[in-house]
Structure formats: C-alpha cells, structure tokens
Amino acid sequence: MRLSLPAVLSAQMRNAPVISRYLGITLAVCLVDLATKWVAVRSLGEWGLYPLSDRFWFTLVWNTGAAGGVSNGPYTWLISVVVTVVALLLVLGVVRSIAAIDSRATTALGLVSGGACGNLLSIVAGPRGVADFIAIRLTEETTMVANGADLFLWGGALLLVPVGATLLRLARAERADRRAAVFTRDTTMA
C-alpha cells in the first residue's frame, strides 16, 4: 500500500475535527502573514520608514538568513526548507494526540505552523528573502525587525508553555503511578 501526503491528509481530515481545526488555523495564519508581507512590500518600498512611536516603526528589511537572520552559508535556503517541512509533518503527526490532553495545543500548534508556512513560502517564492517590516527597539543599541509570521510563531510558542506544563505534570504523575505499582507489587511479594 502506497501512502501519499494528500491521501494521509485526507484521511486525517475525515477522522479528526482537531486536524481540521489545526489545518484551518494554519492556513488562516499563513494567508494573513502573506497578505501583510505583500502590503508591507508595496507600501514601504525599499526605503520606507513609518514611525509609530520611539520604540516601534514599520520599515522593510529583506531577511536572507534562517530564523533570526542566522546564516548557514550557501545551504541556508535548503536547510530552512527541509527543517521547516520536517517540523510541519512532525507537528501534523502529533497534534491530535496532544490536543486530546490539552485542547489549547490545537490553536498553539496552528499558530506556530501557520507562521512557519508563511515564512517557508516567502523563502521559496521570494528570491530576495523574507520580508520583515515590524521594527521593535529592544535597547538603545538593539532593534529587532520581524513580520507577521514571526509574531504568530512567538504567540503560538507562548501558548505552548501551559500545554508543555500539562504534559510534564501528566508524565510525572504517570511515572509516580508506575513506581507505586512496582512498590506495591514488591511489598506484596515479600
């Protein structure tokens, strides 16, 4: 039996509303990100600078590196694409299981995946790189420039903190239950 990605996705969609919700959030976030990048590129141009406050402004910066502008030399593009695709497939494989434990996982993973998809499509489609346009001055010497995908990724990551805490708490409880079962078995055998 041969499996293809469309067949797997189709089967997942039929069997789980969690997957449908996750994919819907992912698609919506990706489309919002691509739309905001399109607007930023069209309205800011190469030298546009629109201050909102002394700490926030809009400006266009082309990020040709990986996340955070990190460069892996000539392999940056390939590594970014492969790592993102593998991560998206892994998330798709676990979202239903994690959502069964904590329903917040669906939204959180959808935000993260949508942001990743938006930046992935920007990497693949744009020879200039990923359009970053939201400038945030962190200190007098440090300014970070991000895009909608980055904000969605960070928001999703923050939402995953309580999900991770729930998973950790359950893992600890399960480990304690196993220890108690072993202790009970050992004391009854003695």
Side-chain angles (χ1 to χ4, degrees):
M1 177 176 161
R2 281 186 57 204
L3 290 179
S4 67
L5 184 57
V8 169
L9 289 176
S10 176
Q12 294 275 3
M13 293 286 285
R14 281 192 310 273
N15 296 329
V18 168
I19 298 298
S20 298
R21 185 164 175 255
Y22 161 76
L23 290 174
I25 293 168
T26 299
L27 179 61
V29 165
C30 182
L31 292 175
V32 167
D33 172 61
L34 295 174
T36 58
K37 287 175 184 167
W38 182 84
V39 168
V41 169
R42 298 296 177 281
S43 61
L44 294 171
E46 289 302 312
W47 306 105
L49 179 68
Y50 296 97
L52 301 172
S53 72
D54 63 332
R55 291 210 174 267
F56 299 98
W57 62 92
F58 291 125
T59 188
L60 183 61
V61 175
W62 293 100
N63 180 355
T64 57
V70 175
S71 176
N72 298 311
Y75 302 106
T76 301
W77 185 89
L78 179 62
I79 291 170
S80 295
V81 170
V82 169
V83 168
T84 303
V85 168
V86 168
L88 289 169
L89 291 173
L90 289 172
V91 169
L92 182 62
V94 300
V95 68
R96 190 176 348 165
S97 300
I98 296 174
I101 295 167
D102 191 329
S103 62
R104 295 173 289 195
T106 306
T107 300
L109 292 171
L111 291 172
V112 170
S113 297
C117 285
N119 278 341
L120 175 65
L121 291 173
S122 297
I123 290 169
V124 171
R128 299 172 80 183
V130 176
D132 289 337
F133 56 92
I134 304 166
I136 305 165
R137 180 178 297 143
L138 302 175
T139 67
E140 289 302 317
E141 299 83 31
T142 307
T143 299
M144 174 186 71
V145 184
N147 58 44
D150 300 329
L151 300 179
F152 285 122
L153 280 160
W154 299 332
L158 284 174
L159 289 175
L160 282 172
V161 171
V163 173
T166 299
L167 293 172
L168 184 62
R169 189 173 56 253
L170 289 173
R172 286 181 179 160
E174 183 179 326
R175 198 173 329 127
D177 288 347
R178 280 189 297 209
R179 284 187 193 142
V182 168
F183 177 76
T184 303
R185 187 187 70 215
D186 289 346
T187 55
T188 57
M189 294 179 83

Short mmCIF file of all heavy atoms in Angstrom, two decimals, residues 27-41 114 117-123 125 133 148-149 152:
data_model
loop_
_atom_site.label_atom_id
_atom_site.label_comp_id
_atom_site.label_asym_id
_atom_site.label_seq_id
_atom_site.Cartn_x
_atom_site.Cartn_y
_atom_site.Cartn_z
N LEU A 27 -3.73 27.52 7.86
CA LEU A 27 -3.97 28.18 6.58
C LEU A 27 -4.32 29.66 6.78
O LEU A 27 -3.78 30.53 6.08
CB LEU A 27 -5.10 27.48 5.82
CG LEU A 27 -5.48 28.08 4.48
CD1 LEU A 27 -4.31 28.04 3.51
CD2 LEU A 27 -6.69 27.37 3.89
N ALA A 28 -5.17 29.96 7.75
CA ALA A 28 -5.56 31.36 8.00
C ALA A 28 -4.35 32.20 8.40
O ALA A 28 -4.15 33.31 7.88
CB ALA A 28 -6.63 31.42 9.08
N VAL A 29 -3.53 31.69 9.29
CA VAL A 29 -2.34 32.42 9.73
C VAL A 29 -1.38 32.63 8.56
O VAL A 29 -0.84 33.73 8.37
CB VAL A 29 -1.65 31.67 10.89
CG1 VAL A 29 -0.24 32.18 11.14
CG2 VAL A 29 -2.50 31.78 12.15
N CYS A 30 -1.18 31.59 7.77
CA CYS A 30 -0.29 31.69 6.61
C CYS A 30 -0.79 32.77 5.64
O CYS A 30 -0.01 33.60 5.17
CB CYS A 30 -0.19 30.34 5.92
SG CYS A 30 0.93 30.34 4.50
N LEU A 31 -2.08 32.77 5.35
CA LEU A 31 -2.63 33.76 4.42
C LEU A 31 -2.55 35.18 4.98
O LEU A 31 -2.23 36.12 4.23
CB LEU A 31 -4.08 33.40 4.08
CG LEU A 31 -4.26 32.12 3.24
CD1 LEU A 31 -5.73 31.80 3.07
CD2 LEU A 31 -3.55 32.23 1.91
N VAL A 32 -2.82 35.35 6.27
CA VAL A 32 -2.70 36.67 6.88
C VAL A 32 -1.24 37.15 6.80
O VAL A 32 -0.96 38.30 6.46
CB VAL A 32 -3.20 36.67 8.34
CG1 VAL A 32 -2.78 37.93 9.09
CG2 VAL A 32 -4.71 36.50 8.38
N ASP A 33 -0.33 36.26 7.10
CA ASP A 33 1.10 36.62 7.02
C ASP A 33 1.49 37.04 5.61
O ASP A 33 2.13 38.08 5.42
CB ASP A 33 1.97 35.46 7.48
CG ASP A 33 3.43 35.74 7.21
OD1 ASP A 33 3.96 36.73 7.76
OD2 ASP A 33 4.05 35.00 6.42
N LEU A 34 1.12 36.24 4.62
CA LEU A 34 1.48 36.57 3.23
C LEU A 34 0.84 37.89 2.79
O LEU A 34 1.47 38.70 2.10
CB LEU A 34 1.10 35.43 2.30
CG LEU A 34 1.87 34.13 2.52
CD1 LEU A 34 1.31 33.02 1.63
CD2 LEU A 34 3.36 34.31 2.28
N ALA A 35 -0.39 38.13 3.23
CA ALA A 35 -1.07 39.38 2.87
C ALA A 35 -0.37 40.58 3.50
O ALA A 35 -0.17 41.62 2.84
CB ALA A 35 -2.54 39.33 3.29
N THR A 36 0.02 40.47 4.77
CA THR A 36 0.69 41.59 5.42
C THR A 36 2.06 41.85 4.81
O THR A 36 2.48 43.00 4.68
CB THR A 36 0.82 41.39 6.94
OG1 THR A 36 1.54 40.18 7.21
CG2 THR A 36 -0.54 41.35 7.61
N LYS A 37 2.75 40.80 4.42
CA LYS A 37 4.05 40.99 3.73
C LYS A 37 3.84 41.68 2.40
O LYS A 37 4.62 42.58 2.03
CB LYS A 37 4.75 39.64 3.53
CG LYS A 37 5.32 39.05 4.80
CD LYS A 37 5.89 37.68 4.53
CE LYS A 37 6.37 37.03 5.80
NZ LYS A 37 6.64 35.61 5.65
N TRP A 38 2.81 41.28 1.67
CA TRP A 38 2.53 41.90 0.37
C TRP A 38 2.24 43.39 0.55
O TRP A 38 2.78 44.22 -0.18
CB TRP A 38 1.34 41.18 -0.28
CG TRP A 38 1.00 41.70 -1.64
CD1 TRP A 38 1.57 41.33 -2.83
CD2 TRP A 38 0.00 42.67 -1.96
NE1 TRP A 38 1.00 42.01 -3.86
CE2 TRP A 38 0.03 42.86 -3.35
CE3 TRP A 38 -0.89 43.41 -1.19
CZ2 TRP A 38 -0.81 43.75 -4.00
CZ3 TRP A 38 -1.73 44.30 -1.84
CH2 TRP A 38 -1.69 44.46 -3.23
N VAL A 39 1.41 43.73 1.53
CA VAL A 39 1.09 45.13 1.80
C VAL A 39 2.35 45.89 2.20
O VAL A 39 2.59 47.01 1.74
CB VAL A 39 -0.01 45.26 2.89
CG1 VAL A 39 -0.15 46.69 3.38
CG2 VAL A 39 -1.33 44.73 2.37
N ALA A 40 3.17 45.31 3.06
CA ALA A 40 4.39 45.98 3.51
C ALA A 40 5.34 46.25 2.35
O ALA A 40 5.88 47.35 2.23
CB ALA A 40 5.08 45.14 4.58
N VAL A 41 5.53 45.27 1.50
CA VAL A 41 6.43 45.45 0.36
C VAL A 41 5.90 46.53 -0.58
O VAL A 41 6.66 47.39 -1.05
CB VAL A 41 6.64 44.11 -0.40
CG1 VAL A 41 7.35 44.32 -1.72
CG2 VAL A 41 7.41 43.13 0.48
N GLY A 114 1.31 27.90 11.04
CA GLY A 114 0.95 28.93 10.06
C GLY A 114 2.07 29.93 9.85
O GLY A 114 2.36 30.33 8.72
N CYS A 117 4.73 28.18 7.87
CA CYS A 117 4.34 28.08 6.45
C CYS A 117 4.49 29.42 5.73
O CYS A 117 4.96 29.47 4.59
CB CYS A 117 2.89 27.61 6.33
SG CYS A 117 2.67 25.87 6.65
N GLY A 118 4.09 30.51 6.39
CA GLY A 118 4.22 31.83 5.78
C GLY A 118 5.66 32.17 5.46
O GLY A 118 5.98 32.62 4.35
N ASN A 119 6.55 31.92 6.42
CA ASN A 119 7.96 32.19 6.15
C ASN A 119 8.55 31.21 5.14
O ASN A 119 9.37 31.58 4.32
CB ASN A 119 8.76 32.19 7.45
CG ASN A 119 8.67 33.51 8.19
OD1 ASN A 119 8.31 34.54 7.62
ND2 ASN A 119 8.97 33.49 9.47
N LEU A 120 8.09 29.96 5.18
CA LEU A 120 8.57 28.98 4.20
C LEU A 120 8.19 29.40 2.78
O LEU A 120 9.03 29.38 1.87
CB LEU A 120 8.00 27.59 4.50
CG LEU A 120 8.31 26.49 3.49
CD1 LEU A 120 9.80 26.20 3.47
CD2 LEU A 120 7.53 25.23 3.79
N LEU A 121 6.94 29.78 2.59
CA LEU A 121 6.51 30.22 1.26
C LEU A 121 7.25 31.47 0.82
O LEU A 121 7.57 31.64 -0.36
CB LEU A 121 5.00 30.44 1.22
CG LEU A 121 4.16 29.16 1.34
CD1 LEU A 121 2.69 29.50 1.46
CD2 LEU A 121 4.42 28.23 0.16
N SER A 122 7.55 32.36 1.76
CA SER A 122 8.32 33.56 1.43
C SER A 122 9.75 33.21 1.02
O SER A 122 10.30 33.82 0.12
CB SER A 122 8.35 34.51 2.63
OG SER A 122 7.06 34.96 2.94
N ILE A 123 10.33 32.23 1.68
CA ILE A 123 11.68 31.79 1.33
C ILE A 123 11.69 31.19 -0.06
O ILE A 123 12.54 31.49 -0.90
CB ILE A 123 12.20 30.74 2.35
CG1 ILE A 123 12.47 31.38 3.70
CG2 ILE A 123 13.46 30.05 1.83
CD1 ILE A 123 12.72 30.37 4.80
N ALA A 125 9.36 31.42 -2.54
CA ALA A 125 8.85 32.25 -3.63
C ALA A 125 9.65 33.53 -3.84
O ALA A 125 9.63 34.09 -4.93
CB ALA A 125 7.39 32.62 -3.37
N PHE A 133 9.19 43.61 8.48
CA PHE A 133 8.78 45.02 8.39
C PHE A 133 8.33 45.65 9.70
O PHE A 133 8.04 46.83 9.75
CB PHE A 133 7.66 45.18 7.35
CG PHE A 133 6.47 44.31 7.62
CD1 PHE A 133 5.40 44.79 8.36
CD2 PHE A 133 6.42 43.02 7.13
CE1 PHE A 133 4.31 43.99 8.62
CE2 PHE A 133 5.32 42.21 7.38
CZ PHE A 133 4.26 42.70 8.13
N GLY A 148 4.67 39.29 10.38
CA GLY A 148 3.50 38.67 10.98
C GLY A 148 3.74 37.21 11.35
O GLY A 148 3.31 36.75 12.41
N ALA A 149 4.44 36.49 10.48
CA ALA A 149 4.71 35.07 10.76
C ALA A 149 5.48 34.92 12.06
O ALA A 149 5.19 34.03 12.87
CB ALA A 149 5.50 34.45 9.60
N PHE A 152 3.15 35.43 15.00
CA PHE A 152 2.31 34.24 15.18
C PHE A 152 3.11 33.10 15.80
O PHE A 152 2.62 32.39 16.68
CB PHE A 152 1.69 33.78 13.86
CG PHE A 152 0.56 34.65 13.38
CD1 PHE A 152 0.62 35.27 12.14
CD2 PHE A 152 -0.58 34.85 14.15
CE1 PHE A 152 -0.42 36.07 11.69
CE2 PHE A 152 -1.63 35.64 13.71
CZ PHE A 152 -1.54 36.26 12.46
#
